[in-house]
Amino acid sequence: TDAIRQHDKRHMITVGMLPSIPKWGFFSGFIPEKVAPQVDYISVHIYPEKGKVSEALKILNEFSVGKPVVIEEIFPLACGVDDLEEFMRASRSQATGWVGHYDGMTRVEMESMAKDKPLPMDKAAWLSWIKLFEKLGPEFLSK
């Protein structure tokens, strides 16, 4: 932080953190409580698993250490869009923002593609995410 602030006093500073999940076999190495004094907000990657929204919320709670929390990587990667929506709605009490993946195609482009043939699995996931993002956007912006 000190090195960055020598050159830039205006922009916010954060670092993307991974939750400590033993079965993954790795951890980002950043402990939220120790990082918090050095950053402007906490950034965490959370991909809820199917049927395990409560576990994802427990993970999020580990990152609620007195700074705003942005879930800066979220996507229906390990769950369906219904679980993701449940998690996002439930996370509103702790998270101040959500950033998902986007591959550059619009919803209209993907829906047009789907008229000719079924979308490949990756495009179907993108489309479900975009639709969820559009659905929740107005509600979440009115927080």
Side-chain angles (χ1 to χ4, degrees), residues 61-128:
N61 191 53
E62 294 174 18
F63 291 87
S64 296
V65 294
K67 291 280 178 122
V69 176
V70 174
I71 302 172
E72 53 114 6
E73 274 198 30
I74 188 168
F75 188 76
L77 187 64
C79 70
V81 75
D82 292 340
D83 282 334
L84 191 64
E85 179 176 355
E86 180 183 345
F87 170 75
M88 290 178 71
R89 286 182 183 282
S91 70
R92 288 184 75 190
S93 63
Q94 294 176 318
T96 58
W98 302 260
V99 180
H101 296 277
Y102 178 61
D103 80 340
M105 287 184 73
T106 67
R107 176 185 48 80
V108 172
E109 290 170 327
M110 282 189 246
E111 287 174 341
S112 177
M113 228 171 101
K115 287 179 184 173
D116 298 329
K117 59 183 178 183
L119 288 174
M121 195 165 34
D122 64 326
K123 294 293 184 205
W126 292 112
L127 181 56
S128 71

Side-chain angles (χ1 to χ4, degrees), residues 31-53:
I31 299 169
E33 296 86 9
K34 294 196 184 275
V35 172
Q38 301 297 319
V39 298
D40 296 300
Y41 63 96
I42 299 293
S43 297
V44 61
H45 306 193
I46 299 180
Y47 296 93
E49 292 184 34
K50 181 179 180 178
K52 297 183 179 180
V53 170

